[in-house]
Amino acid sequence: PSFAPPTRRRGGVKQRSPPLRVPCAGSLQVVGLGGFLCTVEVDLAASVWEAQLAIAKTAGIPAREQSLLCQERRLASSELLQDALAGEHEVTLVRCDAKVLAMKAALRTGATALERARRLAEKHMEK
């Protein structure tokens, strides 16, 4: 039998409670390309992003600059650790360059095109 969270009424509408999250602590070994970095205690029911935050506190590498791999597969920040790790307890951390990340974000948002247009407008105003 499958477990279904209990339902409750709110404003006359039946709503389903969020699924229960049972904490399941575990040790996660973090290695870099140069070898062992650290071990962090994490809740395996947490997201990869939460593990990245724990690694940031322990290893001093900002979470945004971390790319985690497990068995040659890049882990998405939104994945749950227990699903992403598939029984493994070791991840490889590859550090991403902060400047490159900022440039990619600017390209995604169109900020570089706006900046280019602003500079062109300033040049035309000077003439």
Side-chain angles (χ1 to χ4, degrees):
S2 63
F3 171 75
T7 57
R8 57 194 156 130
R9 290 200 175 270
R10 177 180 260 179
V13 178
K14 219 175 183 185
Q15 293 185 337
R16 190 169 295 282
S17 298
L20 296 175
R21 197 172 116 178
V22 179
C24 180
S27 293
L28 184 62
Q29 299 280 326
V30 183
V31 296
L33 299 179
F36 176 80
L37 286 175
C38 64
T39 301
V40 292
E41 292 297 319
V42 292
D43 176 359
L44 296 177
S47 67
V48 170
W49 176 250
E50 291 172 88
Q52 288 174 296
L53 293 174
I55 294 166
K57 284 182 183 177
T58 305
I61 300 169
R64 288 186 47 85
E65 295 178 21
Q66 299 174 25
S67 184
L68 298 182
L69 308 169
C70 183
Q71 297 182 347
E72 300 177 13
R73 185 179 76 80
R74 185 175 185 270
L75 307 181
S77 296
S78 59
E79 286 183 89
L80 293 180
L81 277 174
Q82 60 194 5
D83 298 334
L85 297 176
E88 290 293 316
H89 292 279
E90 182 179 286
V91 293
T92 301
L93 184 148
V94 178
R95 189 169 188 171
C96 305
D97 185 352
K99 289 181 183 179
V100 171
L101 291 172
M103 187 57 136
K104 285 182 179 180
L107 288 171
R108 273 195 311 273
T109 62
T112 54
L114 290 172
E115 180 62 22
R116 208 173 309 133
R118 185 188 64 76
R119 286 184 186 162
L120 282 172
E122 285 176 356
K123 281 184 184 178
H124 288 296
M125 300 273 265
E126 290 173 0
K127 292 182 180 181

